[in-house]
Amino acid sequence: MTNNNSNWTVEQTVELFELCAEARNRGESLSGAFKRMAEKTARSLNSVRNYYYGQAKTFELVPEVAQKLGIKKAEVERKRFVPFEDKEVRELVEYVLIAKGRGESVRKAIYDLAKGDGKTALRYQNKYRSVLRSHRALVEQVMSDLTARGVAFRDPYGKTESDNFTRLTEYIAALDNNRVGKFLSLIEKLT
């Protein structure tokens, strides 16, 4: 049964909570259960996850509803979800753009920002990629602010000739004398 809208049936809700309870009982993360339900209902994984946690909160506030559906209290346990503050998102984007301007990778920048904590780094990386994909206006505002302050950064959307020229210049500058000679010989052959 597929459902291309946001309306969930009672049966789908019960099934989702059963899948999650089974995953939890096996000691697995809930993401597999979310994925199976997403495929079955033709919804995005994020929509399923968000629905689950929203319903879990509702069931915590009104346990009678969960009880009537046969959903046990243990099945609605949820990890504490910590949303990003607007300021934190801006600081994350700014930090990564500046680090990229210094030639660092996104992963390195995020790992450093997370102070080596893998879970925090994953949280930051997911948020950064989400912001790039879904909140371009915010990223452009951060870039505008950096430009106004005279701070060097790398535009995550741009692949311009000047970017390639800068990369080539940095590459040549990092070569030792032997490799510079080889590089110049290659350029002579090409021209």
Side-chain angles (χ1 to χ4, degrees), residues 5-141:
N5 63 37
S6 61
N7 296 324
W8 284 75
T9 66
V10 170
E11 293 81 15
Q12 289 172 334
T13 301
V14 170
E15 182 178 359
L16 172 61
F17 277 83
E18 286 173 352
L19 287 171
C20 290
E22 291 168 9
R24 188 177 285 110
N25 290 337
R26 289 190 305 267
E28 299 172 0
S29 75
L30 300 183
S31 60
F34 297 154
K35 182 178 180 188
R36 282 192 296 271
M37 198 66 185
E39 290 169 353
K40 184 172 184 174
T41 61
R43 292 182 173 93
S44 77
L45 183 117
N46 289 338
S47 294
V48 172
R49 184 193 64 229
N50 292 344
Y51 177 76
Y52 173 81
Y53 286 117
Q55 285 302 118
K57 185 171 182 83
T58 299
F59 293 155
E60 286 174 358
L61 297 172
V62 190
E64 301 81 31
V65 175
Q67 187 178 15
K68 283 182 182 178
L69 295 176
I71 297 171
K72 298 179 194 89
K73 183 174 178 12
E75 294 173 356
V76 299
E77 288 177 9
R78 59 190 174 97
K79 290 182 181 176
R80 188 169 172 263
F81 177 73
V82 181
F84 281 87
E85 300 284 331
D86 291 343
K87 181 181 178 195
E88 189 180 12
V89 173
R90 289 183 67 85
E91 289 171 351
L92 169 64
V93 171
E94 183 175 297
Y95 186 91
V96 174
L97 295 182
I98 291 170
K100 288 288 293 169
R102 291 189 307 260
E104 292 179 23
S105 70
V106 170
R107 286 182 194 226
K108 163 105 172 62
I110 287 174
Y111 183 80
D112 290 347
L113 183 62
K115 297 180 177 75
D117 181 312
K119 285 191 175 197
T120 301
L122 180 60
R123 179 176 179 258
Y124 287 167
Q125 181 172 317
N126 288 342
K127 186 61 174 181
Y128 177 73
R129 297 204 187 285
S130 170
V131 169
L132 288 185
R133 184 178 53 255
S134 304
H135 302 282
R136 187 175 182 132
L138 172 64
V139 176
E140 289 176 350
Q141 178 61 51

Side-chain angles (χ1 to χ4, degrees), residues 90 93-94 97-98 135-157:
R90 289 183 67 85
V93 171
E94 183 175 297
L97 295 182
I98 291 170
H135 302 282
R136 187 175 182 132
L138 172 64
V139 176
E140 289 176 350
Q141 178 61 51
V142 170
M143 290 190 298
S144 177
D145 293 347
L146 290 171
T147 299
R149 292 181 356 229
V151 177
F153 66 92
R154 175 100 186 260
D155 180 345
Y157 304 114

